[in-house]
Amino acid sequence: MPKLTTAARRVSRVTRWTLAVAGVVVVAACGSPSTTAPPSAAAAAAAARPAPASARVKHADLLNGISCTGPAACVAVGSYYYGTAKQQTLVERRDGSSWRVERSPSRQRYSTLQSVSCPSATFCVAVGSLITGWNGARWTVLRRSSPFDSVSCSAAAFCIAVGVTAADTPEYGRWNGVRWQLRRMPGPPHRAQAVALAGVSCTGPGFCLAVGDYSYGARARPAPGFRDRALAEQWNGTRWRVIAPIEVTGRSELSAVSCPTPRACTAVGATASGQFALAERWDGSAWKVEHVPGPSRTGYTKLTAVSCSSASSCMAVGSYDGGASGIAEAWQAGAWRLYRLPSPPQPEPFAPPAGVSCASPAACTEVGTDGGTLAEVWDGTRWRITPTPDPR
C-alpha cells in the first residue's frame, strides 16, 4: 500500500476538520484508532486539495498557532475559507481584552499558516505554505513557499523553522535577520517510510529542540503493521543530532515542545496509538517520562500543544474521547494537574486545541476551531472562552 505524501499528511492533520465541513471524509494520517481502511494515495491527494466550489463552504476558520509576548498581547495564525473553496492566511491579534483581524499576505489559492513565534511586540515570523514576517507595522512575505510546520524565534535575527520535504526528508530553515537558509536535518535512527516534525523550541542561537515522529515497517501508515516512534533532534548552534525520546509503548508521537532553558524542555504527544497522553522532559542529557492524569482510562487522550513560561511551570492542551472534548494539563509543583476546557459555542464538529502560549503561570491562551476561530484564556484558576472576530 503506498504511503501518504508529506503534503497530504500535513493537510490531513491541520485541515481535516475543514474538509469534513465541506463533505469530504478524511482519515487522519497519524495513528488515531479506527477500523476504517487507510486511504489510497489518490484519496489522500484529493483530501489535500481544497474542496470544490460545489461544497459551498461558507464559514470555516482555523487558528493553528499562537505566540504571546504578554498576558494579554498575543498573535494567532491559521487560515479561512470564504465563498467557494479558496483558502487564505489568517492572522488575529489580541491586545487587551479584544481580538482583531490583521491583513496578511496569501500567495496561492491554497495558503495557510501553521505556527507563529514573536520574540517581541515588533517582530514575528509565521510559517505554513509560505513564510511571512511582522515588522511592527505590517505582515510581508519572507519566502513564497515552505515545507515548515513549526517555528521558534529567540530574537529578530534568529529563527529556526522545521518540517519535512515531499521526499520525507527532515529539513530546517534558519533566519539570520536578512534571509532564510534551508538545510537538511539528520533522519531517524531507523529507515523510515514517513517522517513528521511537528514542533520546535529555541532558547537562543546555540540551542533548539525539535520533535515529531516517524514510521517504519513492512507496510505504510496507517496499516496495522506500521510502527510509529517518537523523534527528537537537538541543535547546538552548528549541527543537529538525534536524541531518542523514551518509548513507553509502540506507536508514540510527539506533537509539540517548549524549552524555557536548554536543561528544561517539555515535549507532549500521545502513545499507544493515541490512547494515552504523553509528556517527556529533557534535562540537557536525558529524557524522563512524566505521569499525565487522564480524564478516563480509555478516553484516547492526546496532548497537541505545550507552553512553558518557566522551568517549573508549563501548560499543555489536547483532547480526549478521540478528539470530542478538550483538556488542559498544568505542570506545577513537579506534577501535572488535569483541567477541562469549556465546551465551545459550536461543539459539533470539534477539533482538538491547536496551539497554546503562556506569558506566565497565570496567563495562557489556547487557540483552535469549532467552525469559526476559537480562543480560550487561562487566568491561573480557570479557562474561559474569549470572543474572536470573523475574518470577513
Side-chain angles (χ1 to χ4, degrees):
M1 183 180 295
K3 67 182 179 182
L4 301 182
T5 65
T6 298
R9 288 198 312 277
R10 182 180 300 119
V11 173
S12 177
R13 182 171 63 251
V14 177
T15 65
R16 59 181 178 271
W17 178 90
T18 307
L19 296 173
V21 172
V24 179
V25 177
V26 181
V27 176
C30 187
S32 58
S34 174
T35 57
T36 305
S40 64
R49 292 192 295 269
S54 59
R56 298 181 180 178
V57 178
K58 297 181 179 179
H59 186 77
D61 311 324
L62 305 93
L63 292 176
N64 299 322
I66 185 170
S67 182
C68 299
T69 56
C74 302
V75 173
V77 300
S79 63
Y80 70 98
Y81 283 84
Y82 68 94
T84 59
K86 188 174 182 179
Q87 190 174 18
Q88 301 288 273
T89 63
L90 173 62
V91 175
E92 297 199 9
R93 185 180 298 271
R94 183 186 179 208
D95 185 8
S97 60
S98 62
W99 291 85
R100 70 177 187 275
V101 176
E102 292 187 333
R103 184 183 298 273
S104 59
S106 296
R107 303 299 298 179
Q108 304 164 354
R109 183 175 179 84
Y110 170 79
S111 294
T112 184
L113 297 173
Q114 314 281 28
S115 174
V116 63
S117 182
C118 302
S120 71
T122 58
F123 180 80
C124 299
V125 167
V127 301
S129 61
L130 73 163
I131 304 177
T132 184
W134 168 259
N135 62 7
R138 64 190 182 100
W139 291 90
T140 58
V141 174
L142 301 180
R143 187 176 176 85
R144 292 175 180 268
S145 64
S146 90
F148 303 127
D149 283 336
S150 183
V151 64
S152 180
C153 302
S154 61
F158 181 79
C159 299
I160 290 284
V162 298
V164 179
T165 69
D168 269 324
T169 301
E171 188 169 68
Y172 76 99
R174 184 177 180 181
W175 170 256
N176 62 8
V178 179
R179 64 179 61 88
W180 284 91
Q181 296 178 328
L182 276 60
R183 298 287 188 271
R184 286 189 175 186
M185 297 172 66
H190 302 88
R191 182 179 178 85
Q193 292 183 336
V195 184
L197 285 175
V200 65
S201 183
C202 300
T203 62
F207 180 85
C208 299
L209 193 63
V211 300
D213 64 88
Y214 68 98
S215 298
Y216 72 100
R219 287 169 289 180
R221 182 166 42 185
F226 216 78
R227 302 171 64 185
D228 292 339
R229 290 289 184 92
L231 174 65
E233 302 198 20
Q234 178 185 325
W235 167 260
N236 66 3
T238 304
R239 64 183 181 90
W240 292 90
R241 69 181 179 96
V242 175
I243 50 172
I246 298 173
E247 290 294 336
V248 181
T249 66
R251 301 190 180 182
S252 299
E253 59 180 284
L254 293 175
S255 303
V257 64
S258 183
C259 299
T261 76
R263 295 180 178 274
C265 294
T266 297
V268 300
T271 189
S273 298
Q275 187 170 356
F276 303 107
L278 174 64
E280 298 194 23
R281 175 162 291 211
W282 172 255
D283 65 5
S285 59
W287 288 97
K288 178 183 178 182
V289 176
E290 297 171 336
H291 172 70
V292 182
S296 67
R297 290 187 176 183
T298 59
Y300 288 100
T301 306
K302 179 180 180 179
L303 296 177
T304 50
V306 64
S307 178
C308 301
S309 56
S310 71
S312 59
S313 178
C314 300
M315 182 68 73
V317 294
S319 63
Y320 70 102
D321 283 345
S325 301
I327 60 168
E329 303 270 2
W331 171 264
Q332 295 174 341
W336 290 97
R337 180 179 178 184
L338 174 67
Y339 295 87
R340 304 291 179 99
L341 292 175
S343 297
Q346 305 174 59
E348 294 293 342
F350 173 77
V356 65
S357 182
C358 298
S360 74
C364 300
T365 304
E366 72 91 3
V367 295
T369 181
D370 69 333
T373 57
L374 176 67
E376 299 182 346
V377 175
W378 168 256
D379 62 7
T381 303
R382 65 184 181 94
W383 286 92
R384 60 179 176 84
I385 295 174
T386 178
T388 51
D390 190 310
R392 291 162 300 283

